[in-house]
Amino acid sequence: MYELNRVRLYSIGPAGARYADTVLDLRGVGEPVAEPQPQQIGLFGEEPEGPQRRPAPAGVLFLENGGGKSVLLKLIFSVMLPGHRNTLGGASSGVLRKFLLADDCGHVALEWQHTVTGELIVVGKVSEWRGRQVSSDPRKFAELWYSFRPGPGLTLDSLPVAERVSLGGEQKARGRRRTMKGFRDSLTEAAKAYPYLDVTFEEIHDRWNEHLGELGLDPELFRYQREMNADEGEAAGLFAVKNDSDFTDLLLRAVTDTRDTDGLADLVHGFAAKLGRRSELTAEREFTAGSVDLLQRIVDATAARETVRETHRSAERRTRRLAHTLTARAGAERDRVHDLAIEVAAAAGAVTAAESDRTRHSLIVSELTYRHATLGLAAATTEAAALRRELTEARTLHAAWQAAEAVLRDLAAGDRAARVAAAIR
């Protein structure tokens, strides 16, 4: 059996009385848990002090008329009794849709604690308008139910209702609100990282009712609560009968499902079959009474469970010692990383100086190469000028040698002309 431990309401409610991010905390003030289960604590977490306690057995919420008592009950019942037909306080099919604005992604999450083992389980509902527009069409009102078992990695406080959830124990979520798809994706990723969370999603009312029954949260009990609070009257009003007919109607509503009246015949036939097997059942009861000694196995299993729990506690202590060792090793490694960072900075400075020297040497080599090339060019220019003068002189000498024969012929002709002239005279 489970008891309500905490209620978290986020971005939901009527326009005049919104639940921005509200947590109703009922935990830790009841009787101690009889057989607390071993708790999974984080690697660097601290073990809780004192025994684990049940939630408050009773509580009183004082509000004036119109203060929001019925709104709170309607939101809680929308998780445990899905469907407009189960809406508290009348048959208005759109009352829950009035609690959601166009840009809202409303959340109602209930944390339950087992009365014997103290095991926690969270069931919740998220709803939003498709297309971010308020509509009178109920098909555009999207609803999603989910459940998980809290542990390191995901709790009621750390629900990913916003893109950035505050740390350090704060319960207020900050950042831009996630859409229904973003919320579902975040829970799915958390389930992949932490399989023990046992995250489940449902979108169909009947399947969600079946899942609640499998978890140990019987929706039928909440149907009685809804009928008791239908007109904000007291619980005695549900069982007030005036005659035999009223009592028969109350009995039929208690043992049958009003949505399927044909199940009454099956129930009557079942009782008749059990009465017909009375002798067989009596023999079975006697056989069961004679097999009490076999229940010793359960006692042995209980002792084995205690042994396993002690082993688990020892493993937790060893894990904490390992965590402290890892913390010390991490500090030493951080110091070593700091020293290495200093050495890397010094090496980087040396590399920078070497790069500067290399640049300066490259400039010197370039200048020397330029000057050597300039001197070589000047020497080559001078040599080329000398060669040109020598070529000119050689050409002049060659031309003189070529003109020598003509000069000799001219001289010979002049001699002959002179002799002939002398002979003529």
Side-chain angles (χ1 to χ4, degrees):
M1 180 178 179
Y2 286 89
E3 293 176 329
L4 186 60
N5 200 36
R6 287 191 295 171
V7 179
R8 184 173 182 183
L9 305 163
Y10 180 79
S11 187
I12 198 169
R18 302 281 293 164
Y19 290 104
D21 191 2
T22 305
V23 177
L24 303 181
D25 197 342
L26 309 175
R27 58 184 174 177
V29 294
E31 296 294 330
V33 176
E35 299 179 7
Q37 66 168 359
Q39 296 184 5
Q40 180 70 28
I41 304 175
L43 183 61
F44 300 99
E46 297 181 357
E47 189 171 358
E49 298 180 358
Q52 186 178 2
R53 293 186 173 275
R54 293 166 57 180
V60 179
L61 182 62
F62 290 99
L63 289 175
E64 298 179 354
N65 290 337
K69 300 185 294 297
S70 299
V71 171
L72 177 61
L73 291 177
K74 289 174 183 178
L75 293 175
I76 293 176
F77 278 100
S78 69
V79 178
M80 307 307 298
L81 284 176
H84 299 305
R85 59 180 300 275
N86 293 319
T87 301
L88 182 67
S92 176
S93 61
V95 63
L96 294 177
R97 298 197 294 271
K98 296 178 181 178
F99 295 163
L100 207 65
L101 302 181
D103 295 333
D104 279 342
C105 182
H107 295 265
V108 182
L110 310 179
E111 183 182 76
W112 299 86
Q113 178 176 322
H114 198 276
T115 57
V116 178
T117 63
E119 178 186 9
L120 297 178
I121 188 169
V122 174
V123 296
K125 170 189 172 183
V126 55
S127 53
E128 70 175 4
W129 287 104
R130 292 188 174 92
R132 298 293 184 180
Q133 291 184 354
V134 178
S135 174
S136 59
D137 187 359
R139 293 174 297 181
K140 294 185 178 180
F141 186 71
E143 296 176 301
L144 175 68
W145 289 266
Y146 62 91
S147 69
F148 65 89
R149 300 185 183 278
L154 184 63
T155 62
L156 182 70
D157 297 325
S158 61
L159 277 177
V161 295
E163 290 187 353
R164 180 173 60 86
V165 180
S166 61
L167 303 176
E170 277 190 326
Q171 295 177 349
K172 300 298 182 182
R174 300 175 181 176
R176 189 164 61 90
R177 290 191 296 266
R178 292 184 185 272
T179 62
M180 181 185 294
K181 182 180 182 302
F183 177 79
R184 183 168 186 168
D185 293 341
S186 299
L187 287 189
T188 303
E189 293 176 1
K192 293 179 180 178
Y194 306 96
Y196 57 81
L197 294 176
D198 192 18
V199 179
T200 303
F201 297 99
E202 294 293 348
E203 296 181 357
I204 301 177
H205 298 168
D206 293 339
R207 292 182 180 177
W208 176 243
N209 287 330
E210 294 175 1
H211 180 64
L212 289 177
E214 294 172 356
L215 294 177
L217 301 170
D218 188 5
E220 192 68 17
L221 298 177
F222 296 92
R223 187 170 66 86
Y224 300 150
Q225 293 288 337
R226 183 187 67 82
E227 293 182 4
M228 286 190 293
N229 291 276
D231 54 357
E232 298 186 356
E234 57 184 9
L238 176 65
F239 302 99
V241 294
K242 299 179 180 179
N243 48 42
D244 296 344
S245 177
D246 294 341
F247 177 76
T248 303
D249 293 339
L250 175 63
L251 180 62
L252 290 177
R253 287 196 305 271
V255 299
T256 61
D257 187 357
T258 56
R259 295 173 300 176
D260 187 7
T261 55
D262 294 336
L264 178 61
D266 297 335
L267 183 63
V268 173
H269 288 304
F271 282 127
K274 289 183 179 180
L275 290 176
R277 296 173 56 240
R278 182 174 182 179
S279 59
E280 181 181 351
L281 295 176
T282 303
E284 183 178 353
R285 182 187 63 183
E286 294 175 354
F287 172 77
T288 304
S291 61
V292 174
D293 57 328
L294 297 178
L295 297 178
Q296 184 62 33
R297 297 180 182 178
I298 298 178
V299 177
D300 298 337
T302 304
R305 185 185 64 177
E306 293 299 328
T307 303
V308 172
R309 285 184 175 179
E310 183 61 30
T311 303
H312 180 75
R313 296 189 188 98
S314 301
E316 284 187 343
R317 289 191 290 269
R318 291 195 300 271
T319 303
R320 292 192 185 94
R321 288 196 294 270
L322 175 61
H324 293 314
T325 303
L326 291 176
T327 303
R329 177 66 180 274
E333 292 296 336
R334 282 193 293 269
D335 295 339
R336 184 178 178 185
V337 168
H338 179 68
D339 297 339
L340 291 176
I342 295 175
E343 294 180 4
V344 169
V351 169
T352 303
E355 289 290 339
S356 299
D357 293 341
R358 186 180 66 83
T359 303
R360 185 170 56 84
H361 293 161
S362 297
L363 293 175
I364 294 173
V365 170
S366 299
E367 182 65 22
L368 290 175
T369 302
Y370 171 74
R371 292 187 179 184
H372 182 271
T374 303
L375 293 175
L377 176 62
T381 303
T382 304
E383 185 179 0
L387 290 175
R388 281 196 296 273
R389 287 194 301 271
E390 185 179 355
L391 177 61
T392 302
E393 291 174 359
R395 286 178 178 176
T396 303
L397 181 60
H398 180 265
W401 281 108
Q402 287 181 345
E405 184 177 358
V407 172
L408 290 176
R409 286 196 302 269
D410 181 70
L411 291 176
D415 292 338
R416 286 194 303 270
R419 287 195 301 268
V420 171
I424 292 175
R425 285 192 301 269

